[in-house]
Amino acid sequence: MYTLRPALPGDAPALQTLYALCVDRAGWLPPEARLNPRFDLVSENELVHVAVASSGALLGLVSVYVSSAFVHHLYVHPAHHGQGLGRNLLASLRPVMRPPWQLKCLNTNHAALAFYKRQGWLPLSSGSGEHGPYVLLQWGVSHAVP
């Protein structure tokens, strides 16, 4: 059992711990991108929602730029993959962010690309950024809510 809610200031240590764990395990990221991960720096000025277990443990997070409807980060603790947390974290954004939504996903992140495809995200374009080639995905134009 878990609760979805906006992140609170007191969540900062748990957010950092989860982010660092997920980035450390992100074999799809180049090694230099996994050095010294700082969630507070990469999510500055973003809205953050969290999934919190009844025990108080942080299970997942999503951070977004609301004004541009851009999903910047979506991470679920590896022990809780496949339980609907990612889908539900995205759904928690519906009251605060109107579709269409966009995000960039590295081509090397095969699991995330498969996840977004299952959720109805569609490719718009591709490009290359500081961590390599990516696809720009969009959701919410002509399909159901995640």
Side-chain angles (χ1 to χ4, degrees):
M1 196 68 162
Y2 61 88
T3 302
L4 298 168
R5 62 167 171 78
L8 304 171
D11 294 326
L15 285 164
Q16 176 56 41
T17 299
L18 177 62
Y19 179 72
L21 170 71
C22 292
V23 168
D24 183 60
R25 292 182 177 213
W28 44 268
L29 275 174
E32 64 275 7
R34 289 183 266 153
L35 299 174
N36 195 28
R38 293 269 314 270
F39 186 71
D40 61 332
L41 297 179
V42 299
S43 63
E44 193 171 18
N45 299 318
E46 296 177 20
L47 172 69
V48 180
H49 279 191
V50 294
V52 182
S54 55
S55 67
L58 187 71
L59 306 177
L61 67 90
V62 61
S63 69
V64 298
Y65 294 107
V66 175
S67 63
S68 58
F70 189 83
V71 178
H72 190 202
H73 297 283
L74 176 61
Y75 288 105
V76 172
H77 190 287
H80 299 281
H81 285 183
Q83 298 175 13
L85 283 164
R87 181 187 68 241
N88 290 333
L89 280 162
L90 287 169
S92 77
L93 301 172
R94 282 185 255 163
V96 295
M97 194 166 76
R98 293 179 48 92
W101 302 344
Q102 293 185 352
L103 63 81
K104 291 178 183 176
C105 188
L106 291 178
N107 293 348
T108 52
N109 192 348
H110 303 292
L113 287 169
F115 166 79
Y116 291 119
K117 182 177 180 181
R118 287 191 307 273
Q119 303 309 311
W121 290 75
L122 302 172
L124 281 182
S125 63
S126 59
S128 190
E130 68 176 308
H131 301 309
Y134 64 83
V135 61
L136 179 65
L137 300 170
Q138 181 169 281
W139 174 87
V141 175
S142 62
H143 22 65
V145 176

